[in-house]
């Protein structure tokens, strides 16, 4: 209960800071300061209502809030496509003034049903980074299965290793989830894969995905239809959302090449962009993305991008907080960067 109050207070504080910034005109100052640099927005899912496990972690934003984000982007920014970004970074040519590239990670079905119609109505381009290996297997993401297992609980208590026990619904699922994910991502890549497989297997026993379809990934037919008018593009997020940092150059190359050719075969379009799973990269992962033929790759590092920025290490701006509109406006305009309130980022 105390942690819930603390979390609620932190979210309220961030919202209050954002509203103060907007009231002092920081939004216009931030946009002017951006100039000919590119801001890349990073979304995950967009849902009608954030309930149950979907509230755990900073994953989904609300549909109504997203529609307001999109209208604000159409009005105040120059929303660019992946093709425009690729052209600029490859030629080192400045981006248009106040350029914004909208991206979604993971390829949730809710993005197809909820977010893309909003963007298409406003003719705003966007890119979605998908996971061909999970899509082909009809699976979801292990960390989403974990959200469900911790919020809903499981019948019989089970030790899944590395300090993670599943059992009755967690009293503080948010904290339990954050700590478990952090612990698992500190393991070496082989152990990470084992833990992911174990959590997904446990999730299947609990019918986690049929019970919580908001976590389902869209299939190839849906992406084919979404891409048909050229407004929406699809990039690679690796095959199965596995950490690439720490792997050999060859292993990274295989991951980037396999996912690229699977996407290109399925959609009949060149796959130009990659997003590092968990934002985890090192020199091998970045160099392999370049060699595999991607024009650019995005990280989860915060910040703006000059046209001369390393195209394999583009920075992004995370949009979460349930879609809080004041926070979105502060982050998208750069007002948030101007203020950088300590402990509130
Ligand atoms: Zn991801």
């Amino acid at each position: 209960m105390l942690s819930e109050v603390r979390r609620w207070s932190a979210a309220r504080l961030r919202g209050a800071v954002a509203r103060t910034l907007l009231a002092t005109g920081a939004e216009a100052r931030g946009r002017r300061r951006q100039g000919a640099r590119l801001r890349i927005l990073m979304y995950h899912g967009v849902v009608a209502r954030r309930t149950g496990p979907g509230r755990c972690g900073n994953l989904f934003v609300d549909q109504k809030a997203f529609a307001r984000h999109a209208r604000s982007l159409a009005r105040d920014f120059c929303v660019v496509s992946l093709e425009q970004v690729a052209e600029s970074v490859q030629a080192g040519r400045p981006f248009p003034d106040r350029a914004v590239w909208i991206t979604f990670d993971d390829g949730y079905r809710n993005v197809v049903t909820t977010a893309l119609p909003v963007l298409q109505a406003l003719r705003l381009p966007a890119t979605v980074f998908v996971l061909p290996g999970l899509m082909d297997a009809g699976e979801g993401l292990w960390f989403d299965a974990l959200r469900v297992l911790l919020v809903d609980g499981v019948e019989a208590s089970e030790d899944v290793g590395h300090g993670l026990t599943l059992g009755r619904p967690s009293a503080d699922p948010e904290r339990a989830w954050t700590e478990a994910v952090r612990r698992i991502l500190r393991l070496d890549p082989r152990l990470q894969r084992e833990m992911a497989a174990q959590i997904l297997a446990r999730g299947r026993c609990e019918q986690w995905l049929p019970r919580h379809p908001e976590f389902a990934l869209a299939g190839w037919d849906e992406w084919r239809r979404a891409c048909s008018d050229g407004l929406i593009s699809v990039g690679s997020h690796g095959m199965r959302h596995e950490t690439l940092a720490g792997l050999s150059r060859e292993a990274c190359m295989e991951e980037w090449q396999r996912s690229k050719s699977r996407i290109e075969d399925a959609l009949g379009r060149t796959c130009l962009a990659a997003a590092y799973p968990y934002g985890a990269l090192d020199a091998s992962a970045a160099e392999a993305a370049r060699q595999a033929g991607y024009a650019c790759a995005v990280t989860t590092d915060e910040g703006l991008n000059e046209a001369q920025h390393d195209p394999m290490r583009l920075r992004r701006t995370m949009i979460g907080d349930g879609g809080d509109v004041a926070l979105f406006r502060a982050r998208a305009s750069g007002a948030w960067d101007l203020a950088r309130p300590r402990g509130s980022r």
Side-chain angles (χ1 to χ4, degrees), residues 25-207:
E27 195 177 15
R29 283 201 302 281
R31 284 201 297 262
R32 276 198 302 276
R33 184 177 157 269
Q34 179 181 343
R37 291 181 290 175
L38 171 69
R39 185 176 299 280
I40 309 174
L41 303 180
M42 170 175 51
Y43 287 95
H44 288 83
V46 179
V47 290
R49 279 192 68 225
R50 287 181 315 123
T51 52
R55 289 179 64 88
C56 181
N58 202 2
L59 182 72
F60 292 154
V61 302
D62 291 315
Q63 182 178 15
K64 276 193 187 142
F66 180 78
R68 291 183 62 188
H69 297 187
R71 284 197 296 273
S72 143
L73 290 171
R75 191 181 54 233
D76 299 326
F77 294 88
C78 175
V79 179
V80 294
S81 66
L82 162 59
E83 290 74 14
Q84 287 170 286
V85 172
E87 271 174 37
S88 281
V89 292
Q90 298 216 311
R93 208 174 33 237
F95 296 106
D97 235 30
R98 284 180 274 152
V100 166
W101 177 22
I102 304 168
T103 69
F104 296 86
D105 281 9
D106 303 331
Y108 291 105
R109 174 163 294 140
N110 62 51
V111 168
V112 176
T113 55
T114 308
L116 298 192
V118 172
L119 298 176
Q120 280 158 333
L122 293 166
R123 302 302 298 159
L124 296 178
T127 302
V128 187
F129 294 102
V130 305
L131 295 151
L134 290 180
M135 289 163 64
D136 286 337
E139 283 198 278
L141 286 148
W142 69 268
F143 47 80
D144 289 337
L146 184 59
R147 283 180 229 272
V148 170
L149 294 171
L150 291 171
V151 170
D152 291 357
V154 301
E155 274 290 309
S157 180
E158 186 185 344
D159 179 1
V160 281
H162 300 286
L164 177 61
T165 303
L166 300 172
R168 296 198 330 196
S170 170
D172 186 353
E174 181 91 31
R175 187 171 174 180
W177 181 84
T178 306
E179 282 176 5
V181 169
R182 207 173 282 156
R183 218 174 312 127
I184 291 168
L185 293 181
R186 274 201 298 261
L187 301 172
D188 76 50
R190 186 181 56 82
L191 290 173
Q192 278 183 35
R193 271 198 299 277
E194 279 177 25
M195 283 296 278
Q198 232 187 122
I199 290 166
L200 280 173
R202 196 69 187 81
R204 277 194 296 275
C205 295
E206 302 291 326
Q207 296 278 305

Side-chain angles (χ1 to χ4, degrees), residues 228-241:
S228 61
D229 67 356
L231 199 62
I232 306 302
S233 54
V234 167
S236 164
H237 201 21
M239 290 298 283
R240 296 179 60 90
H241 212 291

